[in-house]
Amino acid sequence: MKRIDHICGPFGFRMLLAVLLAFPLLLTSQRAPNEKQESNLTQMKEIEASIEDILGQLTLEEKVAMCHAQSKFSTPGVARLGIPEIWMSDGPHGVRGEINWDNWGYAGWTNDSITAFPALTCLAATFNPGLSHAYGSSLGEEARYRKKDVLLGPGVNIYRTPLNGRNFEYMGEDPFLASEMVVPYIQGVQQNGVAACVKHFALNNQEKWRNYVDVKVSDRALHEIYLPAFKAAVEKGNVWAVMGSYNKFRGQYCSHHEFLVNTILKGDWAFDGVVITDWGSAHDTREAALYGLDMEMGTGTDGLTTTLTNAYDNYYLANPFLEMLKSGEVPEEVLDDKVRRILRLMFRTNMNPDRGMGRMNNQEHLDVARKVASEGMVLLKNQGQFFPLDPDKEMTVAVIGENATRSMTQGGGSSELKARVEVSPLEGLRQRFPKATFLHTLGYSSGPSVYGRVEPAPYDADSLRQEALAMASKADKVLFIGGLNKSHLQDCEGGDRENLRLPFGQDNLLRDILKVNQEVGVILISGNAVSMPWVDQVQGILQAWYAGSMAGHALADILSGDVNPSGKLPFTFPETLVENAAHSFGEASYPGIKKDQEYKEGIFVGYRWHETQKIKPLFPFGFGLSYTDFKVSQVKTNTKKYGSNDTVTISFDIENTGARAGAEVVQVYMGKPDSKIARPIRELKGFHKLDLKPGESQTAEIRIPVSSFRYYNEDISDWALEPGDYSLYVGNASDHAYSTLEIAVRPD
Ligand code: BGC
């Protein structure tokens, strides 16, 4: 309490206490005004008054200091007033190990190993917003326990190309899915009094050239594809911080971007939180001051972090900013707006005495990690019911592949974790299948996961191959556990993949294994789509992602049938790279030419492209098999004609017709076949995941506001609704509908 007394001293203890005690209520309120909300509003006003009070006591220098880093992951407080420092940490999948004060090295603490949650592609694949909330609240608890005020995640950059090295940190290719999943994650984190920081705003859809690539994209694609998840994070998730991206958009760096930050984020969406740079994404003091940046982190320009005694004072938003303020070139009101936002963030986090204490490494968090992992794994192929494998059977299983034992919480860049526990696939399988004899060999090898460079593989490829073939030939079944990894030019920050293929000779190895044993199941550990020249020859394929602390147990849950797979792909697997929209228009569209890039496919990203161009994907968005079967019938809408403010209610019966309990994700896509403008054939507008026991039937509903049928009309710079006929495709993948419903929308 000492610290609080300090803060309260100057501006009225009683008022602050009243505000703070009620503060948790303020954080979540969203419904129509009622008595409680009225009082929340009053309290909110009191907080704003307190902010003004503090603001009046701060010197110009103190205010400027609050706008930039004092170390790699913290900003200074104001010691004389008891205003605390702000501490931040990566990232989206767990709280990162402590980093040194002034360089990127790990600090070597012994109390910072944590629960590693599955990567966000896996979370998105659950299509389960409730689970996203559990993920966020568990992660927020860990962040709180580690004394972090801001968690640098989640990431919602859209999956545009399968080469993007950071796709694993994001929520897939569909703006609606990402929006639905990001909101509960944020709410879960923030209920702990820890700010989520949604990133990277905006258009950081590739790692290659991320520091300077200048993206051009239509307003329509910006609003329909690339911004909705950020908008949902702000308007529905009430996120308290947003991280700007490294890249440029239409000639200006995104972290201080007049249109993106001032007009859209802080203007149209009324974001009242803090805009933080990515680490080193500020480039200009005037722009940073005027175009919405509130906090500058990680700047290392001109050798600042190495050549000067206090590099932080030389940040764009430090002394150069102070000088501009003193000379009147930038009005003080600009600074005050930043400091107000920073103080607001503090009242929500480290100046809120009601926030919980947090918890870390407890069983509940491991359970959440395991549930997300097993619910997110996607069964892509299951010939002759190859899976599940019977845990009571004696059998010899050759587990081939480096990813059977490789740590996947290490590497990958800023999302790297120091997991207290990481159960490998091999270990998980050994524990769950005690009667089976597991043989294991790498089959191929790659170098360690170091950042920014590729290290050579330590072993001789041919010897590994020979050993794998010998092992495969004497096994009853082969589980090939491969995919990508967290090394540079794989699924890793700072670089993109070079092609769609499996790396390290895995395709050839699989081809040779199939010559000696046809009973092969492939487990792909990756955050990205890969090509599969062996798709027709193998018996089973499971997309198992980067699954965190409980990876091996979750895999065993699925392979044993303890958990029936219910994950659905959050992005399309194209057969070849050029079949992906971003790669269909040459270099100008990816990776760009001489720093300039144009997203030539416009709104036709992912399945929107495949459907429109009639390019059959290898595996479509929304697809995933189960060990049971579902029958969906009686699909209907509540009426056939709707006004623009109405909601379409689609009801259906679903029956589990198989012998195992399971879950299905029923998905509704909208199309406007006679549209006057170019529109995707289908766009996801609703989904519902249902758990059903064997033989069980349920009736369920999906509600879709007609307003979500709007498109972004560039002529009026606003959303517009086309009246007329719409088709609703109710199915279980972007290319599979059980039923198509026709409805009409009346003109206003
Ligand atoms: C990444 C961010 C991360 C930051 C701090 C940057 O390189 O792009 O996502 O939060 O570093 O580690």
Side-chain angles (χ1 to χ4, degrees):
M1 279 318 277
K2 200 154 177 247
R3 196 179 61 177
I4 300 299
D5 289 342
H6 272 298
I7 302 164
C8 296
F11 56 92
F13 180 75
R14 246 193 279 156
M15 179 181 72
L16 181 65
L17 194 68
V19 168
L20 295 181
L21 287 177
F23 196 62
L25 302 173
L26 301 177
L27 312 180
T28 49
S29 61
Q30 272 188 66
R31 269 162 266 127
N34 54 32
E35 215 177 285
K36 202 197 261 171
Q37 290 220 314
E38 292 286 331
S39 91
N40 286 348
L41 221 65
T42 316
Q43 289 153 356
M44 204 114 115
K45 279 188 195 147
E46 286 174 354
I47 285 190
E48 294 302 318
S50 304
I51 289 172
E52 293 309 315
D53 201 343
I54 300 176
L55 204 58
Q57 298 179 54
L58 296 172
T59 65
L60 197 64
E61 285 74 11
E62 284 167 341
K63 288 192 281 190
V64 168
M66 289 169 77
C67 297
H68 63 85
Q70 64 170 1
S71 75
K72 275 274 173 257
F73 283 95
S74 70
T75 58
V78 183
R80 76 179 175 92
L81 295 177
I83 293 173
E85 301 171 336
I86 295 178
W87 279 87
M88 314 183 191
S89 172
D90 285 305
H93 312 139
V95 190
R96 192 179 183 183
E98 293 298 329
I99 303 284
N100 285 333
W101 183 266
D102 214 8
N103 66 50
W104 283 108
Y106 281 102
W109 291 18
T110 53
N111 61 351
D112 58 348
S113 50
I114 42 70
T115 306
F117 296 90
L120 292 196
T121 37
C122 180
L123 178 63
T126 67
F127 277 66
N128 185 342
L131 207 46
S132 186
H133 186 272
Y135 185 120
S137 64
S138 309
L139 175 52
E141 284 185 345
E142 301 228 342
R144 175 69 190 101
Y145 191 80
R146 285 269 309 275
K147 300 187 169 59
K148 304 303 174 194
D149 307 311
V150 181
L151 182 83
L152 303 172
V156 288
N157 294 99
I158 287 291
Y159 187 114
R160 174 176 182 254
T161 154
L163 302 192
N164 179 10
R166 285 186 95 172
N167 277 335
F168 70 100
E169 287 188 63
Y170 306 140
M171 293 185 172
E173 74 186 22
D174 183 75
F176 178 75
L177 175 65
S179 302
E180 289 294 294
M181 298 302 285
V182 76
V183 168
Y185 175 118
I186 290 166
Q187 290 168 337
V189 169
Q190 293 189 166
Q191 75 189 22
N192 294 288
V194 172
C197 179
V198 68
K199 65 191 190 184
H200 307 86
F201 187 71
L203 300 161
N204 183 182
N205 304 101
Q206 67 195 45
E207 286 300 283
K208 189 160 183 164
W209 303 352
R210 68 173 177 174
N211 289 320
Y212 46 78
V213 70
D214 186 1
V215 176
K216 296 205 174 32
V217 62
S218 68
D219 274 343
R220 187 162 170 216
L222 183 71
H223 286 278
E224 290 190 22
I225 306 292
Y226 296 103
L227 293 185
F230 289 102
K231 187 171 194 247
V234 172
E235 292 187 340
K236 296 190 179 149
N238 294 321
V239 74
W240 297 335
V242 171
M243 184 188 291
S245 61
Y246 283 122
N247 51 288
K248 287 182 175 178
F249 166 56
R250 296 182 188 160
Q252 195 165 57
Y253 280 106
C254 291
S255 293
H256 33 72
H257 199 283
E258 192 173 16
F259 179 58
L260 284 179
V261 181
N262 278 357
T263 307
I264 296 182
L265 177 65
K266 292 184 171 177
D268 297 348
W269 302 347
F271 174 63
D272 68 356
V274 175
V275 173
I276 305 176
T277 53
D278 199 339
W279 267 232
S281 70
H283 293 271
D284 181 87
T285 297
R286 207 181 142 273
E287 289 194 2
L290 297 179
Y291 300 156
L293 179 66
D294 301 310
M295 218 180 237
E296 180 186 358
M297 303 296 296
T299 304
T301 47
D302 309 329
L304 286 182
T305 51
T306 50
T307 53
L308 298 170
T309 42
N310 190 357
Y312 301 103
D313 285 346
N314 293 285
Y315 271 30
Y316 296 104
L317 280 187
N319 287 343
F321 184 32
L322 189 62
E323 276 158 33
M324 280 192 180
L325 288 158
K326 282 184 174 162
S327 71
E329 201 179 336
V330 173
E332 194 168 342
E333 179 48 36
V334 165
L335 170 65
D336 287 350
D337 177 64
K338 298 182 198 305
V339 177
R340 271 190 201 99
R341 290 167 180 276
I342 293 167
L343 287 169
R344 197 174 294 128
L345 179 92
M346 289 183 171
F347 274 103
R348 290 165 163 168
T349 58
N350 57 13
M351 279 164 55
N352 172 9
D354 280 347
R355 62 174 180 168
M357 308 295 284
R359 298 185 298 170
M360 194 165 89
N361 293 323
N362 48 331
Q363 189 57 43
E364 286 98 314
H365 293 179
L366 289 174
D367 292 347
V368 168
R370 183 167 178 169
K371 186 153 170 56
V372 173
S374 59
E375 251 198 57
M377 290 183 185
V378 186
L379 185 61
L380 295 176
K381 178 173 180 183
N382 202 15
Q383 193 75 34
Q385 300 188 331
F386 182 79
F387 297 127
L389 307 174
D390 185 353
D392 294 324
K393 206 166 144 191
E394 288 178 15
M395 56 187 163
T396 303
V397 182
V399 174
I400 298 173
E402 196 182 56
N403 289 353
T405 51
R406 188 179 177 103
S407 166
M408 291 299 180
T409 57
Q410 286 166 31
S414 59
S415 63
E416 174 170 68
L417 295 172
K418 186 169 165 187
R420 190 178 64 101
V421 178
E422 183 176 359
V423 181
S424 73
L426 184 64
E427 179 57 23
L429 292 171
R430 282 207 162 116
Q431 286 190 25
R432 182 60 188 96
F433 293 85
K435 295 205 173 137
T437 305
F438 286 99
L439 312 171
H440 170 57
T441 183
L442 295 175
Y444 66 90
S445 76
S446 67
S449 292
V450 286
Y451 190 72
R453 60 180 202 280
V454 178
E455 292 271 315
Y459 305 113
D460 175 63
D462 197 50
S463 318
L464 290 178
R465 180 177 157 276
Q466 295 302 340
E467 196 175 323
L469 296 184
M471 206 171 268
S473 61
K474 60 181 181 231
D476 298 315
K477 288 181 195 297
V478 175
L479 291 179
F480 184 86
I481 306 188
L484 306 177
N485 63 29
K486 296 288 191 68
S487 296
H488 187 53
L489 307 185
Q490 304 296 319
D491 283 329
C492 183
E493 185 179 340
D496 282 351
R497 296 165 66 201
E498 291 173 309
N499 55 56
L500 192 63
R501 291 192 296 276
L502 279 179
F504 320 124
Q506 293 176 77
D507 285 337
N508 288 346
L509 177 62
L510 258 168
R511 183 197 59 204
D512 293 348
I513 289 172
L514 283 159
K515 287 183 192 150
V516 299
N517 192 331
Q518 284 76 55
E519 288 294 294
V520 177
V522 175
I523 319 298
L524 283 174
I525 314 273
S526 79
N528 254 320
V530 298
S531 57
M532 301 184 194
W534 31 263
V535 67
D536 293 331
Q537 280 85 56
V538 301
Q539 304 297 314
I541 305 172
L542 181 76
Q543 177 62 39
W545 313 115
Y546 299 112
S549 282
M550 297 281 96
H553 288 322
L555 179 65
D557 289 341
I558 295 289
L559 296 194
S560 64
D562 293 346
V563 173
N564 193 345
S566 65
K568 304 284 177 181
L569 289 181
F571 51 81
T572 309
F573 276 57
E575 237 171 87
T576 63
L577 190 59
V578 287
E579 289 176 358
N580 165 279
H583 296 274
S584 298
F585 297 92
E587 273 177 64
S589 196
Y590 177 89
I593 296 172
K594 292 192 185 145
K595 305 182 183 179
D596 285 320
Q597 182 179 31
E598 188 181 347
Y599 289 6
K600 294 199 172 192
E601 74 284 6
I603 57 167
F604 295 100
V605 172
Y607 69 87
R608 287 164 164 79
W609 173 256
H610 280 263
E611 287 283 317
T612 311
Q613 297 294 313
K614 301 196 171 32
I615 302 170
K616 198 174 150 30
L618 182 58
F619 294 107
F621 172 88
F623 172 77
L625 299 170
S626 166
Y627 295 149
T628 187
D629 292 308
F630 300 96
K631 190 169 155 240
V632 171
S633 58
Q634 298 296 320
V635 186
K636 46 184 184 280
T637 52
N638 55 331
T639 170
K640 291 279 168 209
K641 287 196 167 54
Y642 296 89
S644 55
N645 295 319
D646 291 344
T647 292
V648 183
T649 302
I650 297 140
S651 60
F652 56 90
D653 292 345
I654 179 165
E655 184 186 354
N656 179 348
T657 56
R660 282 171 186 271
E664 178 63 309
V665 180
V666 177
Q667 304 157 36
V668 182
Y669 296 82
M670 174 277 286
K672 177 123 186 53
D674 64 351
S675 174
K676 298 203 175 41
I677 51 153
R679 294 189 80 151
I681 306 275
R682 297 166 192 219
E683 298 173 52
L684 185 70
K685 294 294 169 193
F687 59 85
H688 190 359
K689 187 166 194 172
L690 297 116
D691 286 297
L692 293 131
K693 298 192 190 74
E696 186 186 344
S697 289
Q698 284 182 29
T699 301
E701 284 181 0
I702 295 176
R703 292 163 61 80
I704 302 173
V706 170
S707 58
S708 75
F709 297 174
R710 294 176 307 167
Y711 71 99
Y712 191 83
N713 184 342
E714 293 182 346
D715 294 338
I716 57 166
S717 297
D718 204 353
W719 295 89
L721 183 68
E722 283 185 284
D725 297 334
Y726 285 83
S727 302
L728 298 174
Y729 307 94
V730 182
N732 64 352
S734 60
D735 71 348
H736 177 254
Y738 308 111
S739 188
T740 303
L741 307 169
E742 305 297 339
I743 59 163
V745 170
R746 287 187 299 267
D748 272 333

